[in-house]
Amino acid sequence: MRFFFLLFIFLFFSCDNNNSETREIQLREEVTVQNKVFTISYNESREQPNWIEYTVKDFVKVADRGNMDFYKVSNVWTSDDNDYYKNEWDKGHMAPAGSFTDSWSNLAKTFSFVNCALQLDDLNRGEWRELEEQVRDWAKDLGPVNVRIELKFSPNSSVLETGATVPDGFYKFLTFSDNFKKCYYFENASTDNDWTEHEISCN
């Protein structure tokens, strides 16, 4: 009798532990993360953002990124350093660090893994960066610019061995103070085009 009682206790706790593990790995298609810098919809299954919104304003630079590196956010399953190790993918800021150096606190918020995507190094350091710089210039001359980035995925999107899904491309929608809009699309690929050649119709 004692043997069956112990067997029951073992099976009960084994089942309970398995259920806990199942609950822990149930990944969400959309998790909203919001702070003073951005609002992000994050996809835990893809380990990439769905979309992000932020506003670029004229500012006085007081902080420098220095040796800052990306950190994980509690309670959100994201990509991590393993997804970017020894490959062609940069940790591409979605809300750019360079647009939020008005305080150390704001700058630090841009370095969370919820705010980065698998972005081809040539794109991240090329046309994408150039448009980010142009948006800062527009904000200085024309007033705040609202930015929305939407990541494009498809059934053919590449999935890394580490588990993260590589975006096919990135839409960037800009809305100016007078409600004028400019829209862009960047394939997640190397290109010799100027950033201006990525402009698309906002319709």
Side-chain angles (χ1 to χ4, degrees), residues 13-32:
F13 281 103
S14 295
C15 291
D16 186 62
N17 286 338
N18 288 336
N19 288 337
S20 296
E21 290 175 5
T22 301
R23 286 195 295 269
E24 288 174 2
I25 62 173
Q26 287 180 342
L27 302 180
R28 297 166 288 182
E29 299 295 315
E30 184 169 29
V31 182
T32 301

Side-chain angles (χ1 to χ4, degrees), residues 82-129:
N82 293 325
D83 298 302
Y84 301 89
Y85 182 67
K86 289 187 177 180
N87 58 29
E88 60 189 342
W89 308 110
D90 272 358
K91 298 170 186 172
H93 279 84
M94 295 292 92
S99 298
F100 296 97
T101 56
D102 55 323
S103 75
W104 288 101
S105 175
N106 284 346
L107 178 59
K109 287 179 175 63
T110 70
F111 275 88
S112 69
F113 272 105
V114 296
N115 184 46
C116 76
L118 287 153
Q119 193 168 54
L120 189 71
D121 48 12
D122 287 346
L123 174 61
N124 182 47
R125 305 171 198 183
E127 298 97 318
W128 188 260
R129 175 186 58 80

